[in-house]
Amino acid sequence: MAERVLRGRPGSPGLAIGPLVRLPKVSVDYIRPTIEQRGDTLLIREEVEPAVERDRLEAALERARQELAALAAGADGMGTEILEFQLALLDDPALIEDATAQMSNGVSASSAWQHTIYRQILSYEDAEDEYFRARAGDLRDVAVRVARALGAVEDRPFPLLPGAIVVDDDLSPSRFLALDWSILGGVALERGSASSHVAMLARARGVPMAVNLGEAPESGEGVLDGEAGVLVVRPDPATREAYARRLDERRLAQAEESAQLTRPAVTAAGERVRVMLNIDDPAAVSDALLDAADGVGLFRTEFLYLGRSSLPDEFDQFQAYYALLQRLRGKPFIIRTLDVGGDKALPGVSLQAETNPFLGLRGLRLCLDRPELFRPQVRALLRTAVFGPIKVMLPMVATAGELREAEDVFATCLAELLAENAEARMPPLGIMVETPAAAVAIDLIPADFFSIGSNDLTQYAMAASRDGSGRVAALNDPLHPAVLRLIGRVVEHGRASGAEVSLCGDMASDPAAVDVLLRLGLRRLSVAPAALGRVKLAVSRHGAGDA
């Protein structure tokens, strides 16, 4: 049969060649209800006892909680947080109340659960917000786990073939965590999202993944290109050979990257470049990796809000900042204040629906609007600054006025802490340059330092969503001259004013973009932990071919 190429979207970089193995579909057995006509009302009834069914559902929910807790105990920091998110879903009173109401009307626990949870899944899948669409996979995971505990799911064995490319409609996070990725080669999803929890897990573990591929075959040989978002089914000999060469080259490059990992990043001309880390979850980053980096250029504090039934207080936040500060042993540490809104929603933080949330109340705008969110974090940061060289970065700043408002909050909180005889200190306050307004008028924003958020800067400059597809995806190009001119303007301002400038977006983790950024004059990059070695290698090659 002829070679077939399925084109989707990148989920996690990497290459894999191996047999395609589809995960068995989960089948849910429903009890067939009886339908009774009463006047104009149709009543759905099953031959069940409501009290018995309520006990069955509670037992199933508890079993699901125990299974998730056991999985979380064996997972790393990111995996634990994702599973804790699912545990929080299991405790959602709205789900339980809806299912209980159905059981009181004579519906079985299995049917009540399925009807309730799948209505929720459909509402997530139909949401305009990419974040909520991506979380639909977590709901499906929870749905199947509880249904299995109720005995409404048929499990089938799954053969673990060495190097296999796992094919599924949309792989759930807990199922991903249960598979042995030291044996398997990669993941090809017919639907899915690059923003989903399972894609985050794949990137953290270096598992190649492509999403949104459309209908894929059950078996046969495949070549998975996670960087391009492509699955080649039944590759012809020439295609297979070309990818095999790329795979060999990638293995050699990984050996070079590993050798470069612990060395300082120095260009071919001998110029030092600082390469720092973007950190989502400190538990997922080893001390060895922190030692190899030049510090933390972006600490995303949103992880503190995941898997919780209440917002983190001042002490919770101080503990987290202080713990990572101690691990860094005096290296630079840039902490970004809470950045939610747009595509970033968090449990416990209700946001008003907006027609275009990317242009709405997000980042610093939201924090200034919600002092109950912002003030505990500010106080924790002021306390932490006493113990080491932290800097605080404010997201989504467009004007000098927003910076001044934030400075006022910091000054007020500092005065309060000192009046309480608490140890506190004002850290340097910088901004993320994510809006074209900030980049164009950078000389009017007197921040202590600047960090370019290339992901948002690109989508705003190009009017092309970073999760778009087709023609829109092609427009979301961080190497477009318009984006590079904005970056260059910020770099020039830093050079003229003496303010430190770095870049912490995805561009910094892309070796193909590193050379361009260095030629623009950037000498500070903050990258994904998995990219540290390859970025240092790219820096070492910069200028090697210049006359």
Side-chain angles (χ1 to χ4, degrees):
M1 297 179 70
E3 172 182 290
R4 180 183 170 203
V5 179
L6 304 180
R7 301 188 184 278
R9 294 184 59 200
S12 176
L15 295 172
I17 301 174
L20 301 175
V21 178
R22 180 177 288 277
L23 285 179
K25 287 190 179 297
V26 176
S27 60
V28 180
D29 295 328
Y30 291 94
I31 299 173
R32 184 179 297 277
T34 59
I35 301 177
E36 180 181 332
Q37 179 85 39
R38 287 194 182 176
D40 295 331
T41 304
L42 287 177
L43 297 178
I44 299 176
R45 295 190 178 280
E46 299 173 275
E47 301 301 323
V48 296
E49 290 290 335
V52 172
E53 295 307 299
R54 285 194 292 269
D55 288 344
R56 285 186 63 228
L57 180 58
E58 184 49 51
L61 290 168
E62 183 55 32
R63 177 178 162 185
R65 291 186 193 103
Q66 292 174 3
E67 290 175 354
L68 286 171
L71 263 179
D76 60 17
M78 181 182 293
T80 298
E81 287 174 9
I82 289 169
L83 295 171
E84 286 177 347
F85 178 83
Q86 293 193 10
L87 280 165
L89 290 174
L90 280 174
D91 291 328
D92 182 352
L95 287 178
I96 311 306
E97 290 167 8
D98 190 357
T100 299
Q102 292 185 52
M103 288 183 289
S104 297
N105 288 325
V107 176
S108 71
S110 298
S111 293
W113 172 251
Q114 297 300 329
H115 297 158
T116 299
I117 194 73
Y118 281 108
R119 276 203 300 270
Q120 291 288 324
I121 290 170
L122 288 174
S123 70
Y124 271 58
E125 288 178 335
D126 292 341
E128 293 185 7
D129 193 321
E130 170 67 14
Y131 176 89
F132 286 106
R133 292 199 302 274
R135 298 293 83 78
D138 293 282
L139 275 172
R140 280 192 294 273
D141 205 358
V142 167
V144 170
R145 188 170 296 279
V146 175
R148 182 180 289 112
L150 285 165
V153 168
E154 177 189 352
D155 278 320
R156 286 184 283 165
F158 169 59
L160 288 173
L161 301 177
I165 298 169
V166 174
V167 178
D168 201 4
D169 175 49
D170 188 6
L171 186 63
S172 70
S174 69
R175 210 170 193 191
F176 177 94
L177 289 167
L179 295 173
D180 187 348
W181 294 106
S182 66
I183 296 175
L184 298 169
V187 182
L189 297 182
E190 294 172 324
R191 295 191 301 126
S193 164
S195 303
S196 68
H197 276 155
V198 75
M200 294 178 193
L201 288 169
R203 289 192 290 270
R205 287 158 177 74
V207 177
M209 176 184 284
V211 301
N212 261 337
L213 290 164
E215 187 176 351
E218 301 282 330
S219 60
E221 187 181 45
V223 173
L224 179 70
D225 185 342
E227 293 164 15
V230 166
L231 176 68
V232 183
V233 181
R234 297 181 302 275
D236 61 35
T239 300
R240 195 187 192 289
E241 184 180 348
Y243 274 104
R245 281 197 304 270
R246 279 184 56 189
L247 198 54
D248 288 340
E249 290 167 1
R250 183 69 195 126
R251 287 171 182 149
L252 289 173
Q254 285 174 332
E256 290 184 272
E257 291 165 10
S258 296
Q260 196 72 34
L261 185 64
T262 57
R263 300 172 187 164
V266 180
T267 68
E271 190 173 5
R272 183 78 163 87
V273 176
R274 306 291 171 182
V275 184
M276 299 178 286
L277 295 178
N278 297 338
I279 293 183
D280 297 306
D281 171 18
V285 180
S286 68
D287 287 335
L289 206 55
L290 291 176
D291 289 342
D294 292 311
V296 172
L298 170 61
F299 183 41
R300 298 181 174 102
T301 56
E302 293 77 40
F303 85 98
L304 287 164
Y305 293 75
L306 297 174
R308 301 177 62 104
S309 58
S310 60
L311 297 175
D313 62 20
E314 178 181 327
F315 183 68
D316 293 329
Q317 298 188 63
F318 167 76
Q319 279 190 311
Y321 308 150
Y322 179 78
L324 185 52
L325 181 66
Q326 295 304 297
R327 291 175 64 194
L328 284 167
R329 296 183 294 185
K331 289 183 177 181
F333 182 17
I334 299 176
I335 303 173
R336 185 180 70 186
T337 57
L338 182 63
D339 187 12
V340 294
D343 63 338
K344 303 167 188 169
L346 289 177
V349 180
S350 60
L351 302 176
Q352 184 177 351
E354 297 175 288
T355 304
N356 192 336
F358 281 105
L359 302 181
L361 199 63
R362 59 172 299 203
L364 181 62
R365 302 170 182 180
L366 177 66
C367 286
L368 292 173
D369 195 63
R370 302 277 191 91
E372 72 277 9
L373 287 177
F374 198 32
R375 282 175 48 81
Q377 182 170 47
V378 170
R379 287 172 61 95
L381 291 166
L382 292 167
R383 288 179 182 271
T384 309
V386 172
F387 297 96
I390 74 164
K391 297 179 181 180
V392 175
M393 184 160 62
L394 306 168
M396 197 59 185
V397 174
T399 68
E402 292 171 313
L403 174 60
R404 284 193 295 270
E405 283 188 73
E407 289 172 336
D408 289 344
V409 176
F410 273 81
T412 299
C413 289
L414 178 62
E416 292 172 355
L417 287 167
L418 295 177
E420 297 165 11
N421 293 319
E423 288 188 288
R425 180 178 297 168
M426 182 70 75
L429 296 180
I431 70 164
M432 286 191 76
V433 182
E434 302 169 276
T435 66
V440 169
I442 195 68
D443 56 311
L444 302 180
I445 303 177
D448 294 327
F449 66 94
F450 304 95
S451 184
I452 300 166
S454 58
N455 299 352
D456 275 326
L457 186 62
T458 299
Q459 77 165 347
Y460 290 134
M462 301 304 297
S465 171
R466 59 188 179 185
D467 61 9
S469 58
R471 186 178 293 275
V472 173
L475 285 170
N476 189 272
D477 177 12
L479 295 176
H480 188 280
V483 181
L484 296 181
R485 288 178 187 179
L486 292 173
I487 293 171
R489 185 174 180 85
V490 179
V491 174
E492 284 298 321
H493 172 69
R495 185 181 293 119
S497 66
E500 181 183 291
V501 176
S502 63
L503 188 142
C504 61
D506 286 345
M507 282 182 78
S509 298
D510 180 1
V514 167
D515 186 68
V516 176
L517 295 174
L518 294 178
R519 291 185 187 280
L520 285 172
L522 272 164
R523 291 299 179 266
R524 287 179 178 269
L525 304 172
S526 194
V527 307
L532 183 61
R534 67 173 175 261
V535 171
K536 284 190 173 185
L537 182 62
V539 169
S540 73
R541 293 172 173 172
H542 173 71
D546 295 348

